[in-house]
């Protein structure tokens, strides 16, 4: 009872306003953030405050922190809303620092905030909880990785608390099961499970049956010869280092021989990172806020410099960082870090590859944009997957960036590319009516993927014919093919077919060979050795039309980022 009285008294204390602070007139257009966390006692709340301070130290967005207290919830929520109003906020976005959206404290808070008497007319929208974000799954994966010794002989048990009834415990366990599945994707543990304890007295004790469930869960695993690996992934009570839920679990864990580090959700740098990312995603973005990552294949120094130089004209308007590689985590992480350091709030990863599908799944996964729990197939990409000289691909890890992120790209059959190819052909042409133009591209290993290449080449050839006719020029033919150069058996048959066509075109006429590539040529000189043909070794870049295509992708990404600002937000007045 003394403990309850202490928390009640603390919750009723008025929030101190800094000396000389003046209230800013509220503006309906000014958006702020109300960060909501469960009341955990002094040390737990202090650690949440540290995460909030780290967020505020690197964000100019107006924000306030409120705790959902099981003793007096209304007072601190009202204080948080008042603090935002003092900062001139007319619209607030609630950021729940909860692992479960079904947590009773969060549900009760949302119900209270749905009432105008608490919000005082302020428009308020609730974002999905921290536990629904890919960053949460990545943090949980890190916790498991730090504990595991022999995954095949271990059973992961995700432990949480805060339920008030068996029904709320089941709801929380359902949510956490999805989070755990995502975190363990690709890991070969013997099995896994989730257990949520029911509260008996707030911040102090839990129902006896809940403890019995935990004891049974640990005993059952030991009977099957499995070593329990317990992860307390929850903002659990933590009054001090001794009076903490995690510490109370240590004896049971030790008795069962479990792997358990005695910690809960904090201190966790991912929390501050998540808050920054949410603020960047939810606020309007302009050109000055956006950083651009130019992701292309990459090769030797000259190739890399040529690609970088191809967008030099765009740098006066956009911050651009090269990231040459095929969805490589280290390369992308470096580029995003540099953009963040330059002051960017968002990052657009432009995939400069022939196909829109090339390295999209890998890149989306790294950026936290892919579907939860979807594993990325090794060697994918439809363009370069499975290259012997590239080595095996491993399951990537989510990049930890506070930027609002998006990725677009894939040149496909862009009319801008067709214009450049026609210009290259006309530069080499002497008598178009007797000349056959060949568009030769990389291609893919599988027949289905290679067919996508051929469809794009067919469209480019058709566009070139139409554009040439508009200029009064008619080539004898515009043909196309793929080398499939990284797969020896495929390459042999493709090379024989292309050589036959080029040789035929040279009899009584002339062959013009163009590499349909992003930059520079391919293996044309080697594979067409001994044949007569005219050759332009340039790809789409460098060219002003290439820069135009890149800028169109940048603007598309900026539009997409702004269009997603309200994604997943729920108006609190609709919560019942």
């Amino acid at each position: 009872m003394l403990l309850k009285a202490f928390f009640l008294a603390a919750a009723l204390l008025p929030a101190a306003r800094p000396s000389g602070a003046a209230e800013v007139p509220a503006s309906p257009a000014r958006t702020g953030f109300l960060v909501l966390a469960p009341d955990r006692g002094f040390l737990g709340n202090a650690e949440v405050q540290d995460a909030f301070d780290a967020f505020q130290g690197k964000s100019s967005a107006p924000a306030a922190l409120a705790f959902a207290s099981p003793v007096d919830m209304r007072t601190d929520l009202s204080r948080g809303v008042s603090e935002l109003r003092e900062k001139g906020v007319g619209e607030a976005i609630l950021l729940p620092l909860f692992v479960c959206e079904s947590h009773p404290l969060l549900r009760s808070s949302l119900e209270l905030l749905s009432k105008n008497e608490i919000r005082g007319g302020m428009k308020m929208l609730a974002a999905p909880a921290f536990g629904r974000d890919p960053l949460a799954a990545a943090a949980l994966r890190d916790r498991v990785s730090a504990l595991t010794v022999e995954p095949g002989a271990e059973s992961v048990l995700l432990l949480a608390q805060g339920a008030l009834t068996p029904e709320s415990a089941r709801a929380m366990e359902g949510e956490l099961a999805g989070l755990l599945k995502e975190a363990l994707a690709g890991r070969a543990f013997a099995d896994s499970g989730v257990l949520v304890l029911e509260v008996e007295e707030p911040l102090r004790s839990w129902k006896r049956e809940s403890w019995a469930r935990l004891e049974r869960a640990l005993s059952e695993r030991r009977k099957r010869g499995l070593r329990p690996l317990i992860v307390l992934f929850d903002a659990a009570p933590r009054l001090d280092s001794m009076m903490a839920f995690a510490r109370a679990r240590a004896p049971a864990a030790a008795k069962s021989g479990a792997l358990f580090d005695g910690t809960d959700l904090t201190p966790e740098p991912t929390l501050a990172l998540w808050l920054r990312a949410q603020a960047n995603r939810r606020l309007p973005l302009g050109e000055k806020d956006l950083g651009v990552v130019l992701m292309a294949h990459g090769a030797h120094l000259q190739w890399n410099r040529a690609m970088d130089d191809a967008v030099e004209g765009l740098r006066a308007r956009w911050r651009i960082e090269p990231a040459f590689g095929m969805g490589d985590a280290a390369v992308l992480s470096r580029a995003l870090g540099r953009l963040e350091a330059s002051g960017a709030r968002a990052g657009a990863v432009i995939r400069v590859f022939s196909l829109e599908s090339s390295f999209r799944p890998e890149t989306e996964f790294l950026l936290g944009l892919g579907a939860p729990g979807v594993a990325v197939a090794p060697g994918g990409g439809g363009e370069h997957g499975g290259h012997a000289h590239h080595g095996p691909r491993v399951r990537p890890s989510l990049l930890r960036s506070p930027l609002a992120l998006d990725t677009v790209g894939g040149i496909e059959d862009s009319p801008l590319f067709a214009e450049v190819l026609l210009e290259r052909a006309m530069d080499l042409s002497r008598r178009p009516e007797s000349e056959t133009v060949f568009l030769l591209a990389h291609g893919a290993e599988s027949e289905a993927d290679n067919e996508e290449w051929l469809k794009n080449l067919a469209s480019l050839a058709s566009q070139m014919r139409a554009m040439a006719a508009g200029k009064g020029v008619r080539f004898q033919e515009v043909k196309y093919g793929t080398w499939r150069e990284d797969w020896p058996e495929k390459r042999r048959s493709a090379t024989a077919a292309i050589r036959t066509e080029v040789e035929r075109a040279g009899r009584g006429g002339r062959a013009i060979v163009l590499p349909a590539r992003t930059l520079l040529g391919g293996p044309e000189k080697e594979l067409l050795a001994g044949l007569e043909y005219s050759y332009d070794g340039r790809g789409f870049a460098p060219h002003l039309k290439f820069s135009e295509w890149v800028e169109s992708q940048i603007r598309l990404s900026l539009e997409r980022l702004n269009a997603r600002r309200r994604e997943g937000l729920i108006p609190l007045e609709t919560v019942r």
Side-chain angles (χ1 to χ4, degrees):
M1 293 303 293
L2 287 174
L3 189 63
K4 282 188 176 181
F6 167 77
F7 282 106
L8 178 58
L12 291 173
L13 286 173
R17 181 184 295 184
S19 177
E23 184 169 334
V24 179
S27 166
R30 185 169 172 80
T31 299
F33 298 92
L34 180 61
V35 179
L36 180 66
D39 178 13
R40 306 169 59 205
F42 178 78
L43 183 55
N45 291 352
E47 289 173 343
V48 170
Q49 182 72 53
D50 290 343
F52 178 80
D53 291 343
F55 154 57
Q56 283 285 267
K58 294 189 175 181
S59 174
S60 60
L65 173 63
F67 291 98
S69 170
V71 178
D72 179 14
M73 191 174 294
R74 180 184 298 265
T75 299
D76 210 52
L77 291 178
S78 298
R79 183 201 55 78
V81 172
S82 296
E83 186 177 335
L84 289 179
R85 188 172 290 107
E86 289 174 5
K87 295 178 179 181
V89 171
E91 175 190 74
I93 295 175
L94 183 75
L95 302 180
L97 269 179
F98 283 78
V99 177
C100 292
E101 292 189 342
S102 53
H103 194 295
L105 284 179
L106 177 56
R107 300 309 305 169
S108 297
S109 298
L110 293 178
E111 186 178 342
L112 270 177
L113 287 169
S114 71
K115 300 173 181 177
N116 194 49
E117 61 187 90
I118 299 290
R119 291 182 288 108
M122 181 182 291
K123 182 180 180 183
M124 192 170 287
L125 305 119
F130 166 72
R132 292 299 182 97
D133 195 279
L135 282 170
L140 176 55
R141 186 179 178 87
D142 289 348
R143 291 279 305 279
V144 172
S145 297
L147 283 170
T148 185
V149 176
E150 188 181 355
E154 295 164 1
S155 174
V156 179
L157 179 62
L158 176 55
L159 185 63
Q161 59 81 53
L164 297 180
T165 64
E167 291 73 24
S168 61
R170 284 193 292 271
M172 292 175 67
E173 287 171 353
E175 282 191 68
L176 291 171
L179 176 63
L180 184 59
K181 180 180 179 181
E182 186 177 349
L184 297 185
R187 302 296 300 270
F189 287 96
D191 68 11
S192 61
V194 176
L195 195 148
V196 174
L197 275 64
E198 296 175 49
V199 173
E200 183 170 280
E201 185 176 357
L203 301 174
R204 190 165 185 175
S205 63
W206 291 263
K207 293 182 180 178
R208 186 173 300 174
E209 175 53 28
S210 288
W211 290 125
R213 285 182 65 208
L214 176 58
E215 294 289 349
R216 287 196 297 271
L218 295 176
S219 174
E220 185 270 337
R221 283 161 170 77
R222 294 306 277 173
K223 285 178 181 177
R224 289 191 289 128
L226 299 177
R227 188 177 188 182
L229 187 158
I230 303 174
V231 179
L232 176 55
F233 198 70
D234 182 29
R238 187 165 159 79
L239 284 71
D240 58 26
S241 61
M242 299 294 291
M243 298 173 66
F245 178 83
R247 186 175 181 85
R249 308 296 65 75
K255 182 180 177 182
S256 67
L259 297 162
F260 179 57
D261 60 9
T263 64
D264 60 15
L265 191 58
T266 60
E268 170 56 66
T270 301
L271 296 181
L273 186 70
W274 177 73
L275 293 173
R276 290 177 62 198
Q278 284 294 313
N280 286 331
R281 290 176 200 169
R282 303 301 181 183
L283 295 175
L285 296 165
E287 290 183 6
K288 65 180 178 60
D289 301 310
L290 184 67
V292 177
V293 176
L294 191 73
M295 185 175 118
H297 185 292
H300 47 74
L301 177 64
Q302 287 71 26
W303 194 103
N304 296 340
R305 281 183 176 166
M307 177 58 77
D308 203 22
D309 290 346
V311 296
E312 188 59 36
L314 298 177
R315 285 194 161 91
R317 181 183 291 271
W318 308 98
R319 331 165 191 245
I320 300 178
E321 283 291 333
F324 298 153
M326 295 167 289
D328 184 83
V331 172
L332 282 173
S333 180
R334 175 186 177 277
L336 291 172
R338 287 174 63 85
L339 289 175
E340 179 193 345
S342 75
R345 290 179 39 233
V349 178
I350 311 300
R351 304 187 313 280
V352 188
F353 298 100
S354 294
L355 298 185
E356 190 275 338
S357 60
S358 294
F359 307 106
R360 186 184 68 195
E362 294 92 331
T363 306
E364 288 181 341
F365 183 89
L366 287 170
L367 302 182
L369 302 172
V374 174
V376 178
E383 184 165 357
H384 296 281
H387 282 200
H389 59 283
H390 290 153
R393 294 183 67 85
V394 297
R395 188 184 190 275
S397 298
L398 182 76
L399 299 182
R400 313 300 170 87
S401 173
L403 303 183
L405 298 170
D406 184 50
T407 180
V408 294
I411 296 167
E412 296 278 325
D413 58 346
S414 167
L416 295 171
F417 191 18
E419 287 185 60
V420 173
L421 288 169
L422 178 60
E423 181 183 307
R424 309 279 198 226
M426 297 204 39
D427 285 347
L428 295 172
S429 178
R430 297 173 190 163
R431 295 176 57 236
E433 64 276 6
S434 65
E435 294 168 341
T436 300
V437 178
F438 290 89
L439 308 181
L440 301 179
H442 185 286
E445 181 180 22
S446 78
E447 298 304 321
D449 287 340
N450 197 61
E451 187 59 33
E452 289 301 310
W453 283 82
L454 295 174
K455 285 180 183 177
N456 283 335
L457 291 169
S459 175
L460 290 167
S462 176
Q463 291 179 68
M464 288 174 66
R465 293 187 198 102
M467 291 174 184
K471 299 174 184 290
V473 175
R474 293 187 183 277
F475 290 100
Q476 182 172 317
E477 286 188 83
V478 180
K479 294 188 173 184
Y480 52 88
T482 58
W483 291 114
R484 309 180 82 170
E485 60 211 65
D486 292 306
W487 305 277
E489 290 299 321
K490 307 281 185 180
R491 181 180 64 230
R492 274 191 284 273
S493 58
T495 299
I498 291 171
R499 284 183 63 90
T500 298
E501 291 293 329
V502 172
E503 186 176 16
R504 182 180 296 127
R507 296 179 195 145
R510 189 161 168 266
I512 295 175
V513 173
L514 304 176
R517 294 177 180 252
T518 57
L519 180 77
L520 303 180
E524 290 81 16
K525 289 184 178 180
E526 174 192 350
L527 299 182
L528 295 178
L531 300 180
E532 291 292 327
Y533 62 93
S534 293
Y535 179 64
D536 188 305
R538 296 172 294 174
F540 191 4
H543 198 283
L544 287 176
K545 295 291 182 183
F546 174 75
S547 294
E548 187 179 335
W549 176 82
V550 171
E551 186 157 33
S552 73
Q553 297 299 298
I554 294 172
R555 294 195 179 280
L556 171 61
S557 191
L558 183 57
E559 289 175 11
R560 284 159 51 103
L561 284 162
N562 278 314
R564 290 204 298 261
R565 283 179 52 223
R566 303 289 165 150
E567 198 172 82
L569 297 183
I570 300 172
L572 283 187
E573 58 266 25
T574 66
V575 175
R576 293 291 181 270

